Amino acid sequence: DQKTLAFEAAGGSQTVSVTATRDWAVSGVPDWVALSATSGKAAVEAQPVKITVAQNAEYNRSATIVFTIGFARTSLTINQAGPEGEYEMPITSVADFIQKADKENVYKLRGTVSKFNPTYCSFDLTDASGTIYVYSIQDVYKTDEWKNKIKNGGTITITGKYEYYASKEQHEVVDAAILEYTDGEGGGDDYSKAEAKTVEEFIQLADKNTYYKLTGTVSKFNSTYCSFDLTDASGTIYVYSVLAAYKTDEWKNKIKNGGTITIAGKYEYYASKSQHEVVDAAILEYTDGEGGGDDYSTAASKTVEEFIQLADKNTYYKLTGTVSKFNPTYCSFDLTDASGTIYVYSVLAAYKTDEWKNKIKDGGTITIAGKYDYYANKSQHEVVDAAILEYTDGQGGGDEPGGEPEGGIYASTVTWTLGNKAASEKAIVNDVENVPVLKLGNSSTIGTATLTIPSGATKITFYAVSWSGKPSKLVFKNGDTELGSVSPAANTGLANSSPYTLTVTDADKYEIAVSGATSITVQTEGSNKRAALFAIVSE
């Protein structure tokens, strides 16, 4: 019932009321605070909790303790005065902070801001002794006020703890609090002063710490990420990331394939793709090209068999064939001509639109221009970065109606509504194609969905598998009442992107009593948060 409590230096006790509809617990209690209870049961009435604070003979102090029920949380801040008053923490230089490498204690740093990322409120802080990356600030400072206030070139004072990010060999400040900020005179980094280089020179230097200027022609522009290929007379390089200040609708709508662009960015090498990249790029100039973009229609026509034999990852070729297994979420599909079938894994961002997703149907005839790739994990030939040139509906207008339902023996009679981090996808199950699959969760976030159960049903049966190599847990609930849970085994076929190729046995089949419920939720839990269900049938 309270957000803050204040105590004098002598200490004492105060009581708060805790109202919880589920079992509750408290965390983050420091050694100078004691609670009459640190957990409790759900109850209709408020529960009193006495908070006792010890005597303070030093500086003012403060702590925030957290009350939780399930995923819900609320905090209580406890402030206590001290005879020494407010502690004035001395400023530590970046060099000393790094040398101490103290992960337990908080230090104060002051310096100039650069490479500010408003999405995460992360930035580089530079003083006379060096530069360090401020990776994370406390949630209370991740506000629009601070995101709009902080600018490159400003002077900032923070407190935070030390962390070392081994995979990047990088010293960092974490859990930072912002104490002071003043704008700088320059108003930000002047990337225009970066030294100009050709693509070839930039790659040869392979300098990950210095900004260089590059000018060239744009191709394969991805408006979602503002990424693209930049080509000059010496070669081509992939611009993987631009700074957050340039990931705006203005730039996304302005940049076109065929235009000429000048950027300033740093070098990176992406080992898994053997690829040179520009990262953290600032866009300095842009002018539209005369052609208005790539002319994919001039690509040479090939059959599927010829395309696979060429295995050319750098050249666009034209393919024409029939669509099957179309996935509207990703605009991916199989393309079949007289010589064979190939999987069109990805189309360019310009074609991932509602217009194309609603237009393309299984059975239609399509002409695309794309590049070859080979997906070793599935021993699969693929078309990537495809442009859609022509499409006509097939005679049947898509999959033939009637006959066996989609998914065959693995069809679902129970429908679902997607919730958080959920997707309706397809799989090949024990050689049965086009099986509708409910996929839940990603690598870091739980997935949820709502199952609609026919009236009178007493149970549901279903198959369930977890992400490759990572067992998970599925929990089924009717409101706040848990109906049951299952722990599906990891399945090597549930990996990468749809359509998945799954092999299952009776051991992967489960049932849950639904007790007459007509709407139940299912969600993932545990360290792995990815799983999939299919063949969901009510009985």
Side-chain angles (χ1 to χ4, degrees):
D1 65 338
Q2 299 192 57
K3 291 293 182 184
T4 61
L5 295 177
F7 290 86
E8 296 300 325
S13 298
Q14 297 185 48
T15 300
V16 297
S17 295
V18 177
T19 306
T21 57
R22 295 170 59 185
D23 294 353
W24 58 274
V26 182
S27 61
V29 181
D31 57 7
W32 50 276
V33 176
L35 277 65
S36 60
T38 56
S39 63
K41 297 290 185 181
V44 176
E45 301 297 329
Q47 303 171 50
V49 176
K50 182 187 284 188
I51 297 177
T52 302
V53 172
Q55 181 181 3
N56 183 10
E58 298 178 338
Y59 296 98
N60 299 349
R61 58 189 178 185
S62 179
T64 298
I65 61 177
V66 180
F67 292 75
T68 59
I69 55 171
F71 293 107
R73 52 192 284 140
T74 190
S75 59
L76 173 66
T77 299
I78 302 168
N79 300 313
Q80 186 182 22
E84 299 292 332
E86 197 68 38
Y87 174 65
E88 182 59 34
M89 185 181 295
I91 292 174
T92 301
S93 71
V94 168
D96 286 345
F97 182 78
I98 292 171
Q99 189 171 22
K100 289 176 189 293
D102 183 353
K103 296 185 178 183
E104 301 299 325
N105 295 304
V106 173
Y107 293 88
K108 185 190 289 186
L109 299 99
R110 178 177 294 155
T112 304
V113 175
S114 61
K115 300 182 208 165
F116 178 65
N117 185 326
T119 304
Y120 303 103
C121 267
S122 60
F123 52 92
D124 278 359
L125 182 150
T126 302
D127 66 11
S129 69
T131 298
I132 194 165
Y133 178 48
V134 181
Y135 169 70
S136 66
I137 66 170
Q138 296 171 17
D139 286 343
V140 70
Y141 301 97
K142 287 181 180 174
T143 63
D144 288 338
E145 179 184 357
W146 283 109
K147 290 177 180 179
N148 294 326
K149 186 177 184 180
I150 297 174
K151 300 285 188 300
N152 292 321
T155 300
I156 200 163
T157 303
I158 63 170
T159 59
K161 291 182 181 178
Y162 172 88
E163 189 58 79
Y164 183 72
Y165 186 21
S167 65
K168 286 196 173 182
E169 299 181 349
Q170 181 168 278
H171 306 284
E172 297 179 349
V173 183
V174 295
D175 297 332
I178 302 173
L179 305 183
E180 295 178 10
Y181 172 79
T182 55
D183 275 333
E185 292 184 11
D189 297 317
D190 188 358
Y191 297 108
S192 64
K193 294 179 180 178
E195 186 179 355
K197 298 290 179 186
T198 66
V199 168
E200 184 179 30
E201 290 169 339
F202 183 80
I203 292 171
Q204 286 176 343
L205 284 168
D207 185 346
K208 296 186 177 184
N209 300 308
T210 306
Y211 271 84
Y212 292 100
K213 195 185 297 183
L214 300 164
T215 299
T217 305
V218 175
S219 61
K220 297 185 224 164
F221 179 65
N222 184 323
S223 58
T224 303
Y225 302 104
C226 264
S227 60
F228 52 92
D229 278 0
L230 182 151
T231 302
D232 66 10
S234 70
T236 298
I237 194 166
Y238 177 49
V239 181
Y240 169 71
S241 65
V242 299
L243 295 168
Y246 302 92
K247 285 182 180 173
T248 63
D249 289 339
E250 180 185 357
W251 284 110
K252 291 176 180 179
N253 293 326
K254 187 176 185 180
I255 297 173
K256 300 286 189 298
N257 291 323
T260 299
I261 199 163
T262 299
I263 62 170
K266 293 189 295 184
Y267 173 88
E268 188 58 81
Y269 183 72
Y270 187 23
S272 66
K273 284 195 173 183
S274 302
Q275 181 169 279
H276 305 285
E277 297 181 346
V278 183
V279 295
D280 297 337
I283 301 173
L284 305 181
E285 293 179 18
Y286 173 78
T287 54
D288 275 333
E290 292 183 10
D294 297 316
D295 187 1
Y296 298 109
S297 64
T298 61
S301 295
K302 300 292 177 184
T303 66
V304 167
E305 184 179 28
E306 290 169 340
F307 183 79
I308 291 171
Q309 286 176 344
L310 284 167
D312 185 344
K313 295 187 176 184
N314 300 309
T315 306
Y316 271 85
Y317 293 100
K318 194 184 299 181
L319 300 165
T320 299
T322 305
V323 175
S324 61
K325 302 183 200 169
F326 179 66
N327 183 327
T329 304
Y330 303 103
C331 265
S332 60
F333 52 92
D334 278 359
L335 182 151
T336 301
D337 66 9
S339 70
T341 298
I342 195 166
Y343 178 48
V344 181
Y345 169 70
S346 65
V347 298
L348 295 167
Y351 303 92
K352 284 184 179 173
T353 62
D354 288 338
E355 180 185 356
W356 283 110
K357 290 177 180 179
N358 294 327
K359 186 176 184 180
I360 298 174
K361 300 285 189 300
D362 287 340
T365 300
I366 199 164
T367 298
I368 62 170
K371 293 190 296 183
Y372 172 89
D373 204 351
Y374 183 72
Y375 185 28
N377 286 353
K378 287 192 175 182
S379 303
Q380 180 169 279
H381 305 285
E382 296 180 347
V383 183
V384 296
D385 297 338
I388 302 173
L389 305 181
E390 293 180 18
Y391 173 78
T392 54
D393 274 333
Q395 297 280 343
D399 296 319
E400 271 194 40
E404 192 175 58
E406 189 178 38
I409 61 172
Y410 296 109
S412 292
T413 62
V414 169
T415 60
W416 56 74
T417 302
L418 301 178
N420 183 58
K421 299 300 179 186
S424 294
E425 299 189 325
K426 294 292 179 69
I428 303 168
V429 181
N430 294 350
D431 295 327
V432 176
E433 297 185 351
N434 286 327
V435 176
V437 170
L438 171 59
K439 179 181 170 289
L440 299 175
N442 60 23
S443 60
S444 60
T445 307
I446 65 169
T448 63
T450 301
L451 306 180
T452 301
I453 312 299
S455 178
T458 59
K459 69 177 181 179
I460 57 170
T461 62
F462 55 92
Y463 286 88
V465 293
S466 296
W467 198 253
S468 178
K470 299 176 180 179
S472 65
K473 182 179 180 181
L474 291 170
V475 178
F476 297 79
K477 294 182 180 180
N478 179 16
D480 289 332
T481 303
E482 184 172 318
L483 303 177
S485 63
V486 300
S487 298
N491 192 299
T492 55
L494 189 63
N496 302 304
S497 58
S498 172
Y500 308 108
T501 302
L502 305 175
T503 301
V504 296
T505 68
D506 287 344
D508 299 304
K509 191 171 185 179
Y510 304 91
E511 69 175 54
I512 294 287
V514 297
S515 306
T518 57
S519 179
I520 65 175
T521 59
V522 55
Q523 73 176 47
T524 52
E525 286 190 1
S527 57
N528 173 46
K529 300 170 176 61
R530 288 182 286 188
L533 303 80
F534 57 93
I536 311 172
V537 177
S538 62
E539 298 181 17

